[in-house]
Amino acid sequence: MSEVQNEYYNVADIFGENVFNDTVMQERLPKKTYKKLREVIEEGKELDLATADVIAHEMKEWAIEKGATHYTHWFQPLTGVTAEKHDSFISAPMPNGKVLMSFSGKELIKGEPDASSFPSGGLRATFEARGYTAWDCTSPAFVRQDAAGATLCIPTAFCSYTGEALDQKTPLLRSMEAINEQALRLLKLFGNTTSKKVTPSVGPEQEYFIVDREKYLQRKDLIFTGRTLFGAMPPKGQEMDDHYFGAIRERIAAYMKDVNKELWKLGVSAKTQHNEVAPAQHELAPIYAEANVAVDHNQLVMETLKKVAGRHGLQCLLHEKPFAGVNGSGKHNNWSITTDDGINLLEPGTTPHENIQFLLVLTCILKAVDTHADLLRESAADVGNDHRLGANEAPPAILSVYLGEQLQDVLTQLISTGEATHSLAGTKLETGVKTLPDFMKDATDRNRTSPFAFTGNKFEFRMVGSQDSIAQPNIVLNTIVAEAFSEACDILEKADDFDLAVHDLIKKYATEHQRIVFNGNGYSDEWVAEAEKRGLPNIKSMVDAIPALATDKSVALFEKFGVFTRTELESRVEIEYETYAKEINIEAKAMIDIAGKQIVPAIIKYTTELAESAAAVKSVCDADISVQTGLLKEVSTLLAETKAALTKLEADTAKGGAMEEGRDQAVFYRDVVKADMDALRAPVDKLEMIVDKDMWPMPSYGDLIFEV
């Protein structure tokens, strides 16, 4: 038995060592240059080329010391993943045959990838190839070390030649500016003259599955689509709840250790790790960061989870529903808003009924979520999430807000009497064991069934899918809350009596938007009926969610704050319909390929052996062969059902592929092709439970989720 090798290191010594962070900049940049860069970051001033040249030189020297040979503008197009083009630091060879290593301010500030080859929703034609990446100096550059060597990665925004956003970062930064401006207006009304900046902070929890890579490579469905398109449940699933928070197996622990080390070097504050509910499912959670940095860090988390898995003979699955019958994976988006001098606008304090500023912020958020529930739901829509939302394991597809008993009581007082006079307090938790300490409970329990839950001093948006960028939900959150703040400020800035006006406004918002508040079981059928009575939207699929992006209401919202133009929104609608159709098309083609080339031949082989076995037994003696013939009949019936379903799926997939791209095609794939896929899977999964395991052409669910 081999010994476990432990490498010991001090996290504080390695944390951020591969990041060109503020400490490094202070050490390496001239004071004047550093001061100018801080003004750009904090005040939004423009970066001049001379200053950029100095920064680029020092960044290059630092990166070369880390072993970097190349640099890349690292950006986030509308593909859901990151993109990069690598250029080496070498310049033209000198007469003596040597080369210089150079990196200019212009190269730092601007890159030029091909904009026509990324999703643009018609904004860019094939012959309109020019697009630009622009350095986002608010998110630090970093050196990534892997099998390719070391590369200086520069976080950038990506836009078209005509200025439209073709990425996730550009609108995110715009939304952050919007909420900053409107939150400062609100704080000023309450006499705050010291806070200069308000920033949304985000802490995204990342769920994922880990399976053995050799078994993964035997599953074409996992390779092509990220989820199992066929598969019968094993005798045991998650019903014993023994995996959740259970002891982490050594193979997984070794993997997690390497993931943490890589992330810490990149300045990602990986904090929490544990087993999740489903077998082979796990979670990683970081400490909060500013929204745009959190978005970048979450992309690094997903990339690192996948990259490090390969080194351990493992495969990381980020799909929302890789296995039917056990829980899927989400990404809880913990969101709050804080000032540059440390004030959390979502901190209620010990007596929230007296915290008028907090109550205004809270009721503004209720107003924002109620008004734009469809848009917030759309921000978490993707093909994989359709398998998860509302499936008694994840938040329902209905948007509601959980406040807990304490804040619910305060709101009830406001609505019924116009003022709140008290707040429920926490009580002592008595364990009944003398050696265990008694302690004060929180005033409010937690509700894991709520899609948008207040959890102490933040809101936790739980709808987001595990493989999605968190940019879109935070763009929407920032913008809808900015709108609510703006409308509140428009009223209060004109008020003759501010104290009276703010109390009236809090009561008005609490009363008008109380339908969005629900503290009960979001998984229950009763809630679905109750939500319908309240008039809350229940948007069950991505296809039905997409139109919310470009309604007149949404266009007015985003254009008011300069986050999106109508053209940018309409392009995203087109991209999302196209994405839905393409993903289902790939899944359907994968099913056709697997069923036709692997499953049907395996079943035919099995039935042939059954028939030969029955004939051989019958020829030797007059024995009872009813078991063989019964199995043969059952398998043959299911095989015929499989073939009929396969033929229909082939025809409808071809029909869908021939349709013009757009909503009609997406609806066809959802209503027809997806139904065909379910019809094909049903008999195949039954056959898996009958056919000899040695003949079944791929690893089973039990092999995948229990043999890691």
Side-chain angles (χ1 to χ4, degrees):
M1 190 177 191
S2 61
E3 292 184 8
V4 176
Q5 298 295 318
N6 282 313
E7 173 196 1
Y8 298 102
Y9 52 85
N10 188 328
V11 176
D13 292 339
I14 66 168
F15 189 84
E17 69 175 32
N18 288 343
V19 185
F20 195 72
N21 54 30
D22 191 70
T23 301
V24 176
M25 291 190 291
Q26 273 189 289
E27 290 172 354
R28 303 190 72 119
L29 297 178
K31 287 184 179 179
K32 184 179 178 182
T33 304
Y34 173 76
K35 183 181 178 183
K36 281 189 176 181
L37 180 58
R38 291 311 310 174
E39 288 173 351
V40 172
I41 294 171
E42 293 168 8
E43 301 172 29
K45 292 185 177 180
E46 192 169 338
L47 184 67
D48 62 272
L49 195 56
T51 302
D53 277 330
V54 177
I55 297 167
H57 174 76
E58 289 301 327
M59 192 183 287
K60 177 207 70 177
E61 292 296 305
W62 169 82
I64 289 173
E65 290 170 17
K66 298 286 180 185
T69 57
H70 290 70
Y71 70 90
T72 182
H73 276 198
W74 185 74
F75 59 102
Q76 298 170 39
L78 299 174
T79 55
V81 294
T82 58
E84 52 197 68
K85 178 187 73 170
H86 296 194
D87 289 292
S88 70
F89 288 119
I90 65 170
S91 57
M94 297 185 293
N96 63 3
K98 300 285 187 179
V99 293
L100 291 173
M101 304 289 271
S102 66
F103 182 50
S104 68
K106 183 179 178 182
E107 290 169 317
L108 169 63
I109 290 172
K110 187 185 83 171
E112 191 182 326
D114 187 338
S116 66
S117 297
F118 291 102
S120 71
L123 290 176
R124 300 263 80 195
T126 304
F127 61 88
E128 296 174 319
R130 197 180 295 277
Y132 296 111
T133 49
W135 178 35
D136 171 21
C137 59
T138 64
S139 184
F142 56 92
V143 166
R144 186 181 59 210
Q145 297 168 329
D146 52 28
T151 305
L152 172 64
C153 298
I154 303 156
T156 54
F158 177 45
C159 59
S160 73
Y161 179 70
T162 46
E164 293 94 356
L166 296 177
D167 68 338
Q168 303 280 20
K169 171 155 284 194
T170 304
L172 177 67
L173 292 172
R174 293 169 181 170
S175 74
M176 291 173 69
E177 289 181 4
I179 198 169
N180 170 56
E181 183 179 342
Q182 300 308 319
L184 285 175
R185 282 179 68 193
L186 186 144
L187 288 173
K188 188 177 178 182
L189 285 167
F190 284 89
N192 182 330
T193 57
T194 55
S195 300
K196 304 298 180 188
K197 187 178 182 182
V198 178
T199 308
S201 296
V202 179
E205 305 165 26
Q206 179 70 56
E207 294 177 342
Y208 60 96
F209 279 82
I210 289 291
V211 298
D212 183 84
R213 183 160 175 79
E214 284 189 15
K215 294 184 177 74
Y216 163 85
L217 291 173
Q218 296 173 57
R219 296 280 316 210
K220 295 296 183 184
D221 47 2
L222 284 177
I223 292 171
F224 290 130
T225 73
R227 76 178 182 101
T228 52
L229 301 171
F230 301 102
M233 275 296 292
K236 179 185 177 185
Q238 63 189 48
E239 56 270 78
M240 298 303 295
D241 298 322
D242 53 341
H243 191 258
Y244 191 51
F245 278 32
I248 300 170
R249 284 170 281 187
E250 284 204 350
R251 188 180 184 190
I252 302 300
Y255 161 71
M256 288 178 168
K257 176 185 173 185
D258 283 357
V259 167
N260 285 332
K261 188 175 181 181
E262 291 234 353
L263 291 175
W264 289 334
K265 285 183 176 182
L266 293 170
V268 180
S269 55
K271 173 75 172 175
T272 302
Q273 61 189 32
H274 62 83
N275 291 348
E276 255 299 334
V277 174
Q281 188 185 32
H282 310 278
E283 181 179 295
L284 182 154
I287 298 172
Y288 288 76
E290 291 191 4
N292 67 313
V293 175
V295 169
D296 288 355
H297 281 183
N298 186 247
Q299 290 289 349
L300 285 174
V301 165
M302 291 191 286
E303 290 175 8
T304 304
L305 286 170
K306 288 187 284 188
K307 178 177 66 176
V308 174
R311 299 177 195 161
H312 289 259
L314 300 167
Q315 185 70 34
C316 176
L317 305 177
L318 291 175
H319 193 283
E320 285 78 15
K321 195 73 172 178
F323 303 103
V326 297
N327 275 16
S329 297
K331 184 146 49 189
H332 296 177
N333 187 88
N334 295 282
W335 178 89
S336 64
I337 30 182
T338 54
T339 67
D340 56 336
D341 49 355
I343 301 169
N344 183 344
L345 273 62
L346 289 175
E347 178 58 62
T350 54
T351 53
H353 69 283
E354 297 175 338
N355 191 339
I356 303 304
Q357 179 180 293
F358 166 76
L359 290 175
L360 179 60
V361 169
L362 177 68
T363 52
C364 279
I365 292 172
L366 294 181
K367 176 178 185 289
V369 175
D370 188 23
T371 304
H372 296 288
D374 58 342
L375 194 56
L376 197 54
R377 164 69 180 90
E378 197 286 329
S379 75
D382 71 25
V383 184
N385 231 6
D386 277 5
H387 296 282
R388 171 180 164 263
L389 292 181
N392 280 352
E393 61 170 86
I398 305 163
L399 242 302
S400 65
V401 178
Y402 170 79
L403 293 180
E405 296 87 348
Q406 185 186 56
L407 293 183
Q408 177 66 68
D409 179 64
V410 170
L411 281 191
T412 300
Q413 293 176 60
L414 288 168
I415 293 166
S416 60
T417 68
E419 61 178 336
T421 58
H422 64 272
S423 297
L424 299 178
T427 57
K428 183 180 284 189
L429 178 71
E430 297 180 359
T431 61
V433 180
K434 291 180 181 179
T435 55
L436 294 179
D438 295 333
F439 51 85
M440 294 302 294
K441 296 191 295 184
D442 292 309
T444 290
D445 202 348
R446 300 178 72 186
N447 186 335
R448 304 301 295 178
T449 72
S450 174
F452 197 77
F454 185 76
T455 53
N457 59 2
K458 59 183 170 36
F459 276 101
E460 189 173 359
F461 183 38
R462 297 180 176 138
M463 276 189 170
V464 187
S466 51
Q467 63 184 331
D468 259 8
S469 166
I470 59 168
Q472 188 64 16
N474 287 296
I475 291 167
V476 171
L477 270 174
N478 294 342
T479 311
I480 65 176
V481 174
E483 179 190 56
F485 285 173
S486 173
E487 291 175 357
C489 290
D490 287 345
I491 294 168
L492 296 174
E493 284 167 353
K494 298 172 185 175
D496 294 327
D497 185 334
F498 172 76
D499 290 339
L500 180 62
V502 74
H503 277 88
D504 288 348
L505 194 59
I506 291 169
K507 180 185 177 183
K508 174 182 167 65
Y509 286 172
T511 304
E512 291 179 354
H513 301 287
Q514 59 183 307
R515 69 172 186 167
I516 200 71
V517 178
F518 178 65
N519 290 340
N521 181 5
Y523 295 168
S524 69
D525 293 336
E526 291 79 8
W527 167 234
V528 175
E530 170 64 21
E532 187 175 357
K533 285 182 186 175
R534 296 188 187 190
L536 298 177
N538 184 1
I539 304 170
K540 297 178 181 178
S541 79
M542 176 182 175
V543 174
D544 290 334
I546 293 169
L549 263 179
T551 61
D552 289 342
K553 181 180 69 171
S554 295
V555 171
L557 165 76
F558 287 121
E559 288 194 335
K560 176 180 179 180
F561 296 101
V563 175
F564 287 118
T565 63
R566 179 182 288 274
T567 302
E568 287 170 334
L569 289 168
E570 289 173 346
S571 73
R572 278 162 167 74
V573 167
E574 187 173 325
I575 289 167
E576 294 203 12
Y577 281 135
E578 185 179 327
T579 297
Y580 186 91
K582 284 180 176 178
E583 287 197 27
I584 300 297
N585 185 59
I586 291 169
E587 289 187 352
K589 285 185 172 180
M591 286 191 91
I592 291 166
D593 185 72
I594 294 165
K597 294 179 181 177
Q598 292 181 273
I599 292 171
V600 169
I603 298 165
I604 290 173
K605 182 179 179 183
Y606 178 68
T607 54
T608 301
E609 286 201 6
L610 269 179
E612 290 174 350
S613 170
V617 171
K618 192 71 174 174
S619 68
V620 172
C621 63
D622 191 22
D624 183 356
I625 58 170
S626 61
V627 173
Q628 293 96 317
T629 56
L631 276 174
L632 186 59
K633 186 174 182 180
E634 183 181 2
V635 171
S636 297
T637 300
L638 287 169
L639 177 59
E641 190 180 330
T642 298
K643 178 58 179 172
L646 176 59
T647 301
K648 187 173 189 310
L649 178 60
E650 288 173 327
D652 286 338
T653 301
K655 184 177 177 181
M659 293 175 70
E660 185 178 346
E661 291 176 348
R663 178 171 174 80
D664 288 346
Q665 185 191 44
V667 169
F668 181 84
Y669 272 102
R670 182 194 63 188
D671 294 346
V672 178
V673 175
K674 201 163 172 299
D676 290 347
M677 291 165 62
D678 293 340
L680 174 57
R681 177 170 185 160
V684 170
D685 287 358
K686 290 176 184 175
L687 284 161
E688 185 184 345
M689 301 303 292
I690 301 170
V691 174
D692 186 337
K693 181 172 174 57
D694 290 338
M695 290 187 182
W696 197 252
M698 64 191 76
S700 68
Y701 270 24
D703 300 333
L704 287 163
I705 64 178
F706 285 106
E707 298 179 12
V708 188

